[in-house]
Amino acid sequence: MESRGIDETTGVYGDHKVKLGKSPAVRLDSIKSASIPFAGFTKAKKIARGKEGVARSADNVLKTLTGQADKLDAKKLLGNLKALETHTSRLATLGQLTDAQQKEGTWTFTSAVEKLSNSELAAVFQTFSSSEMDLLQTALIREGRINPKARDARKAAEQLFNLQALVLKEISNRSINEQITQQSADLSFEGMPGEVEEAVARPESLSQRFGSAEGAGSRVHANDLTAANLVSLAETAVVSANTRERTVQSADADLKARNIDNVTVKEIGNSIRNAELTINIKTEFLIGGANPITKHPNDPMVNIFHLHDQGIDPKGEGYLMERDSTEKLLFPELKGHNVNADERPMYGALNIAGGRIGAIDGNANYGSSAIVLKPHVAKRATYILNDSFFSAKIDTSKERRENFYKLLDGINNPENSSKAPEIKIPQSFIDALKDPNSKEHHEFESFLDLLKGEDAVTRGFDSLPQIIQDKLFDDADDIVNAGSEMKSFESKSQILGLFKSFCLKFFGDPQATRSAMATYDNVESLVPQMDTVNSVGLARAALDAKNGESFKAVPDNIQYIEAQIHGPLIPSRDIAEIRLYLDDIPEDELDARIREMEKFGKENGIKITLVDYSMEKADQADVTEIQGRDQLFIRKHYNQEK
């Protein structure tokens, strides 16, 4: 179990029991059923209540699995599985099950799984990828093997594996169906019967394949994840669970070698999970601006691709294409079709430093105000160390370079762009870079040679050789020199963004990038990726938390743990708190704006906290103090063997 990243903070099993986290131990040799209503006297009533019981128990099982894995209630989960088995057995006794249904119980979950929203389905899948579920399933299997009388444990293990397979199949179905919908124009069934189109194009539903207790359970959920988001979360969950299993044991061993015996990487992960998820935001987007969220509490917040669809490009076309390439590197599921703004994430950060305003300093230009999101939002986010613009992985191998040069002539025709960019890469630059005898080609090759190991990340393209930048800009004088000095700077930024976007398409490494990411339930897989200073600093913060103090960590050279939030953010549904930066509001408007924000908070159940520059200064002082504590802590905990 230890080799799979499972320790006593995850839970323990033995003596015919299993204990998850801080929850009470649950018996496995005789699982206690959830309460079951009286079946009734007539056969018709017994059948009706039996079917109702199957549906209700299946729904309750899935409801338990949509919560946080580190708070998984094994007693409730196993009790509902036992109740489900009881209802199924009663229906069998009443002659209501086919031979296939009696042999295999997958059908009991089909309609319940089909009714889940994409967000709920992602949460269930993530729970199955967590160390808590790994422990529970292992304990059930072990009990079934060592105890001939443990029929309940064997049955529960079977039910969970059936459910896990169904969830995976449903994710696949929804992904395929959405791809077909997006590309339906490319499919032709002209002259064929309608059932042929359905059979060829659409995967068989769970209810069609396995049957169900109450017919198909699919339903429409407003403001849900897209299927591409669902796949991103599921894929990242699998990879981060594997990373956790592969790396956590050695990371724990390193802590012990430093005489840090009272905390594990799992506990560090638990502390990170407890950090609030925040988004720094410009105050005008909250209140007083042209279209603040206070005026639209029930509408999804917009990302930069939504703005582009509205004809607004606040950072220019070059930035947009660079963002597009970066997101497709993080989430390959977004490739293969035109940009769909609803699929694209919003960005936040975990406030592991415990900042009074948010996770990010106001000087970072994201905004001085902050919104704090509700815990359920963190479950539908993926995480990476540092800004994703800087942290995605690249591969500058010979084969990738050859492809880059072969297709360089297509740089001004980016795929999936809604329109051709107004600014183009000069042909003279393209010719020079392709020429193996040019100084630009030589410098670019030398530059790519340097991007190895820890430097093999996308931020490397922010340090292009000066000769490359000069050639890129010098031959675009007709564009760059048109207009003001600010126009010239913006034009250069767009040209550079366009070139970087093209580089990412060829040198981006999606597989390595995904291995550097995590989902909520496996966020501890990020810890072994940190250097010694940062991981030991997190251990110090986790020890503080165990001793009743606040968890406050400021990893060195890591701006923040970025969160890519999938699915729409609805202020009235998803925001727990707004921290309004008063110094951004004109003094003559201050009282009115505060009253307006407080009214908005009261109407939508959102806590309103007023913050200002003094709190920002206090946060900066805290960072300095925490870094000083870490330096002292590390000196006391060197690896003695090394």
Side-chain angles (χ1 to χ4, degrees):
M1 301 299 287
E2 186 178 353
S3 69
R4 286 146 60 191
I6 298 171
D7 57 31
E8 291 187 358
T9 60
T10 308
V12 294
Y13 70 84
D15 297 326
H16 308 292
K17 297 177 183 178
V18 66
K19 182 180 184 300
L20 300 185
K22 298 178 181 179
S23 302
V26 180
R27 295 195 67 87
L28 298 179
D29 52 345
S30 180
I31 295 171
K32 185 176 180 181
S33 173
S35 62
I36 297 177
F38 175 58
F41 293 104
T42 67
K43 182 177 180 179
K45 180 66 72 175
K46 290 178 180 179
I47 292 172
R49 291 191 173 172
K51 291 180 177 180
E52 291 170 3
V54 168
R56 181 176 58 254
S57 298
D59 286 339
N60 288 340
V61 167
L62 288 164
K63 185 177 180 180
T64 303
L65 295 175
T66 56
Q68 295 179 202
D70 59 351
K71 295 179 173 61
L72 181 61
D73 190 332
K75 181 179 179 181
K76 183 179 291 186
L77 175 63
L78 295 177
N80 280 302
L81 288 172
K82 178 71 178 291
L84 178 62
E85 170 63 9
T86 300
H87 288 298
T88 305
S89 297
R90 288 180 177 178
L91 288 176
T93 302
L94 294 166
Q96 297 302 301
L97 304 185
T98 65
D99 291 341
Q101 287 177 327
Q102 291 189 60
K103 290 179 182 177
E104 199 271 314
T106 303
W107 63 274
T108 59
F109 291 112
T110 54
S111 58
V113 170
E114 288 173 331
K115 287 189 295 185
L116 293 175
S117 68
N118 286 342
S119 299
E120 292 166 337
L121 191 61
V124 171
F125 186 83
Q126 288 182 68
T127 298
F128 271 112
S129 73
S130 68
S131 55
E132 285 78 11
M133 181 57 79
D134 190 359
L135 172 63
L136 177 59
Q137 289 180 292
T138 300
L140 289 167
I141 293 169
R142 177 179 179 272
E143 181 67 24
R145 286 174 177 167
I146 66 171
N147 183 359
K149 297 181 179 180
R151 181 188 180 280
D152 290 350
R154 287 189 290 274
K155 187 61 184 180
E158 177 190 341
Q159 290 171 303
L160 287 174
F161 278 109
N162 283 341
L163 178 55
Q164 187 173 5
L166 273 184
V167 167
L168 186 58
K169 176 61 178 170
E170 180 67 4
I171 292 172
S172 174
N173 283 356
R174 295 188 188 187
S175 173
I176 293 169
N177 279 322
E178 184 161 297
Q179 290 177 56
I180 290 171
T181 299
Q182 290 171 337
Q183 300 178 4
S184 59
D186 298 329
L187 299 174
S188 176
F189 296 92
E190 188 174 353
M192 295 185 183
E195 59 267 22
V196 173
E197 176 179 350
E198 187 68 21
V200 173
R202 303 286 176 178
E204 191 177 27
S205 72
L206 300 186
S207 294
Q208 289 172 327
R209 181 171 179 179
F210 301 106
S212 72
E214 53 178 348
S218 58
R219 61 175 62 162
V220 176
H221 297 267
N223 294 318
D224 197 11
L225 294 174
T226 69
N229 299 149
L230 175 61
V231 173
S232 294
L233 286 164
E235 294 270 359
T236 307
V238 171
V239 174
S240 59
N242 289 337
T243 301
R244 165 179 57 79
E245 292 185 10
R246 190 178 66 252
T247 62
V248 167
Q249 188 177 22
S250 61
D252 279 332
D254 183 68
L255 291 176
K256 289 182 171 60
R258 296 172 183 279
N259 294 321
I260 307 176
D261 296 325
N262 296 325
V263 70
T264 65
V265 173
K266 173 69 175 180
E267 289 175 308
I268 295 174
N270 288 341
S271 294
I272 293 173
R273 271 185 284 274
N274 287 331
E276 60 188 17
L277 178 55
T278 66
I279 297 178
N280 277 70
I281 188 170
K282 295 183 184 299
T283 304
E284 64 189 85
F285 296 158
L286 292 173
I287 197 166
N291 193 29
I293 67 171
T294 51
K295 302 298 184 184
H296 307 279
N298 300 312
D299 295 335
M301 297 173 64
V302 297
N303 59 38
I304 198 164
F305 291 97
H306 287 118
L307 293 176
H308 175 73
D309 291 344
Q310 298 168 17
I312 303 169
D313 283 320
K315 297 187 178 183
E317 186 82 14
Y319 173 89
L320 194 74
M321 286 186 285
E322 187 180 355
R323 168 58 67 192
D324 180 41
S325 295
T326 301
E327 290 182 354
K328 287 175 179 174
L329 180 52
L330 268 67
F331 308 110
E333 301 80 23
L334 301 177
K335 293 182 178 180
H337 56 271
N338 291 333
V339 172
N340 175 1
D342 292 341
E343 291 180 340
R344 298 310 176 101
M346 300 283 284
Y347 293 88
L350 291 170
N351 190 10
I352 58 175
R356 295 167 180 81
I357 296 180
I360 303 173
D361 191 292
N363 295 324
N365 295 320
Y366 292 107
S368 300
S369 292
I371 58 178
V372 181
L373 299 168
K374 293 180 180 178
H376 71 260
V377 180
K379 187 85 173 177
R380 56 179 169 94
T382 47
Y383 302 89
I384 196 169
L385 300 177
N386 271 324
D387 191 294
S388 53
F389 254 157
F390 302 150
S391 300
K393 306 294 184 181
I394 60 174
D395 176 2
T396 59
S397 64
K398 179 181 177 181
E399 182 182 3
R400 287 173 180 251
R401 297 186 198 195
E402 290 174 351
N403 290 333
F404 173 82
Y405 293 122
K406 285 178 183 177
L407 297 172
L408 190 56
D409 285 320
I411 192 170
N412 289 315
N413 297 299
E415 62 176 335
N416 298 335
S417 178
S418 60
K419 62 180 181 179
E422 296 177 1
I423 295 178
K424 298 181 183 293
I425 301 297
Q427 187 61 44
S428 56
F429 173 82
I430 297 171
D431 294 339
L433 211 57
K434 289 175 64 178
D435 182 0
N437 297 316
S438 73
K439 56 184 179 181
E440 288 85 3
H441 182 91
H442 175 75
E443 286 291 332
F444 190 64
E445 282 290 302
S446 298
F447 167 71
L448 294 178
D449 288 340
L450 293 173
L451 295 178
K452 297 178 181 178
E454 293 182 0
D455 294 323
V457 292
T458 49
R459 68 169 170 234
F461 289 110
D462 289 336
S463 304
L464 286 167
Q466 192 61 47
I467 189 174
I468 299 294
Q469 297 190 48
D470 290 344
K471 187 68 176 176
L472 192 60
F473 300 144
D474 285 351
D475 292 311
D477 286 345
D478 56 329
I479 299 172
V480 172
N481 293 330
S484 65
E485 183 177 340
M486 178 59 71
K487 176 69 175 177
S488 173
F489 173 79
E490 291 174 351
S491 298
K492 287 183 177 181
S493 297
Q494 300 314 310
I495 292 171
L496 186 60
L498 177 56
F499 180 66
K500 287 165 63 178
S501 170
F502 192 75
C503 289
L504 293 183
K505 292 177 183 178
F506 290 90
F507 299 117
D509 189 338
Q511 185 175 357
T513 298
R514 180 140 287 173
S515 69
M517 301 174 69
T519 46
Y520 177 84
D521 291 310
N522 292 301
V523 75
E524 57 264 40
S525 67
L526 298 177
V527 177
Q529 299 179 38
M530 299 180 180
D531 61 23
T532 297
V533 172
N534 292 331
S535 58
V536 174
L538 281 169
R540 188 272 312 152
L543 279 171
D544 287 349
K546 287 187 73 171
N547 293 327
E549 302 176 43
S550 297
F551 176 87
K552 291 189 175 184
V554 183
D556 190 31
N557 296 323
I558 293 176
Q559 294 173 294
Y560 38 73
I561 297 178
E562 184 190 84
Q564 304 90 37
I565 303 160
H566 302 272
L569 280 178
I570 311 297
S572 60
R573 180 190 72 182
D574 297 327
I575 296 179
E577 180 181 357
I578 291 177
R579 294 172 184 166
L580 185 69
Y581 194 75
L582 300 179
D583 294 351
D584 284 344
I585 303 174
E587 191 169 347
D588 60 339
E589 298 180 16
L590 194 58
D591 289 342
R593 295 300 184 199
I594 290 175
R595 287 195 300 272
E596 183 181 346
M597 179 57 77
E598 289 177 340
K599 179 175 181 290
F600 170 81
K602 185 176 181 180
E603 290 174 348
N604 294 282
I606 298 172
K607 178 182 178 182
I608 305 299
T609 302
L610 306 179
V611 297
D612 57 20
Y613 181 67
S614 65
M615 295 182 181
E616 189 175 4
K617 290 289 288 183
D619 283 345
Q620 294 168 355
D622 281 353
V623 167
T624 302
E625 189 268 336
I626 293 168
Q627 290 173 330
R629 290 176 63 191
D630 283 350
Q631 290 175 7
L632 293 173
F633 185 82
I634 290 167
R635 288 173 192 168
K636 294 179 181 179
H637 293 282
Y638 286 123
N639 185 316
Q640 296 301 308
E641 184 179 346
K642 291 184 178 179

